[in-house]
Amino acid sequence: MEIYIVRPGDGLPSVARSFSLEAEEIRRLNQLSDPRRLCPGLSLVLDTGHGDVPRSMELSAALSPRAESALLEELLPGLSWLCVRSCALTPQGQLGLPEAGALLRLAYEHSVQPLLSLSNLAQGGFSALLAHQFFSDPALALDLAARLPGLLEAEGYMGVELNFQYLFAFDRDNYSRFAQSLSQALHAAGRYLFVSLAPKTAATAESPLCAGHDYETLGRCADRVILLCHDWGGAFTAPQAISPADRTAAVIDYAASLIPPGKTLLSLSSCGYSWDLPWRQGDEGRPLPCRLAADMAISTGAEIKFDRCAQAPFFTCGGQGRRRVVWYEDARSISRRVSLAGEGGLAGLSLRSGDRLYRPGLSLLLSRCAGEKLI
C-alpha cells in the first residue's frame, strides 16, 4: 500500500491514471462518498502492489457484538486477540455479560483468542465511584477473581482485559491488588490477563485519567498491557490531535522503563472530533468517525493540513459565524504509530475502532503488519 496526498487540481480519474489503477477501486478502498470530488491534503491509500514486507506482530482489537459485519470480515483474518466489550460490572461485583456467541464463534473460526473486557463503565462513561464501591469491600474483589475462570470457560473466553479508567488516586493500591488476585486465578486456570493503561510519563502523574494506574505493579501481573495512547483530543478537551505522536512516544519510553516492551501493545484509534470555533473552556467536542471527517472536508471544500509534531491531520470549515475545526486520524497518522510500535520493540498494536470500519486505516495497517496467530 502507498499513501498519496491530494494536490490542488487532482481528481480521482487523474490519480488513478498516474498509478495505473481503477478509479472505482480507489474510491472503495478510501470510502469516498462522492468520487467526483477531492480536496487538497486528503490522504489516499493506493493498492499499488508495492511496499515493505509486513512486520510480524500481535494485533488486538476491542469490539462489541454490535461491530459492523464489514469490519469483522476484513479485520478478523489478521487478528491475534479480540477484547469483547460491554461487560457491565455492578458495585456488588456482579457481571452483565454481552450476548457475544456469534462474535466468539467468528473469532475461533479465524484462530483469534477472545478476551472478556471488564471495565468500570456506567451510564455516561467510566465511573470512578462504581469502581470505588466495588473495591471498598476486598471480599467482593476476591470473590470475583475466584469466579471469573469458571465463567470464562463456560462462555468461551480465553482471558480478561481489565480496562478500568478514571479511578480515584486513593484506589490505586486496591486496583493493583485486584489485578494481582485476578492474575493468580487466571494463570492457575491457564487463562490470560490483559490490562489497559491510561497514558502517563511519570510515576507521580496524578491526573484523573491515570492516577489510579501503577504501571510497574500492573505490568508485572499482566500477560500484556495496552497503552491507551489516544483521546488526548476528546469531548472535554481543547481542540487538538487525538493521538499525538510526540506524546505517544513519551508514554512508550516511560512504560519501557517499567514494563518489558515485549509484553506491550500500543492502541490505534480511528476516530476524530469536531469543535466549534472560537473554542471556549467548557465547550464540548463532538465525536466524528474518520471516514465522515474526510467527507466533511471534501464537501466543505476545506484544505486538510498535517501537524508534523503530532503527525495528525486537521482542517477548519464553515463560515457565517459557524466555524469548526476537526482533528482525526488518517493513513499517515496510523502509519506513524505503527512505526512507533516497531521502533519501541513492542509486542504489537491494539485497534480501538469503535465497531466501525475505517477501511483506509485498516488496509494500511494490515499491509504493514502481519498479525501473529497464537492458537
Side-chain angles (χ1 to χ4, degrees), residues 28-266:
R28 189 199 71 82
L29 184 57
N30 290 276
Q31 292 179 298
L32 299 175
S33 297
D34 186 350
R36 299 167 298 179
R37 303 174 65 187
L38 299 175
C39 68
L42 177 70
S43 68
L44 295 175
V45 174
L46 306 177
D47 188 1
T48 60
H50 304 297
D52 297 333
V53 175
R55 180 193 301 268
S56 178
M57 59 172 53
E58 295 178 23
L59 293 180
S60 171
L63 301 172
S64 82
R66 299 184 300 276
E68 291 181 346
S69 58
L71 172 60
L72 297 176
E73 182 180 335
E74 298 197 24
L75 176 61
L76 285 175
L79 212 57
S80 311
W81 309 92
L82 173 65
C83 300
V84 181
R85 298 189 293 110
S86 302
C87 176
L89 172 69
T90 71
Q92 295 74 38
Q94 299 304 309
L95 300 179
L97 297 175
E99 296 181 3
L103 182 56
L104 292 175
R105 286 192 293 273
L106 280 174
Y108 282 113
E109 286 174 11
H110 290 89
S111 300
V112 178
Q113 302 223 48
L115 309 172
L116 178 66
S117 184
L118 180 61
S119 74
N120 58 321
L121 276 171
Q123 193 169 23
F126 289 102
S127 171
L129 179 59
L130 185 155
H132 177 66
Q133 291 171 327
F134 171 65
F135 292 137
S136 292
D137 186 346
L140 290 179
L142 289 173
D143 177 68
L144 180 58
R147 287 189 289 114
L148 267 170
L151 184 150
L152 298 177
E153 182 176 4
E155 296 290 329
Y157 292 97
M158 292 301 298
V160 169
E161 178 218 7
L162 285 183
N163 186 19
F164 281 66
Q165 306 296 327
Y166 290 96
L167 301 177
F168 294 128
F170 50 75
D171 275 326
R172 180 192 296 119
D173 291 343
N174 290 330
Y175 183 42
S176 294
R177 280 192 288 270
F178 173 59
Q180 290 171 314
S181 297
L182 183 57
S183 174
Q184 294 171 1
L186 292 176
H187 290 157
R191 310 268 164 185
Y192 299 99
L193 176 65
F194 281 37
V195 179
S196 288
L197 299 175
K200 62 193 298 184
T201 56
T204 55
E206 292 295 334
S207 78
L209 176 60
C210 63
H213 289 176
D214 179 340
Y215 268 40
E216 184 172 12
T217 301
L218 294 173
R220 190 166 53 246
C221 67
D223 297 290
R224 296 288 183 272
V225 299
I226 301 174
L227 299 180
L228 299 179
C229 292
H230 57 268
D231 288 346
W232 271 287
F236 303 106
T237 73
Q240 60 185 294
I242 313 302
S243 306
D246 53 340
R247 298 176 74 175
T248 296
V251 173
I252 293 174
D253 287 344
Y254 171 68
S257 71
L258 300 170
I259 304 169
K263 66 188 315 187
T264 301
L265 306 176
L266 175 64

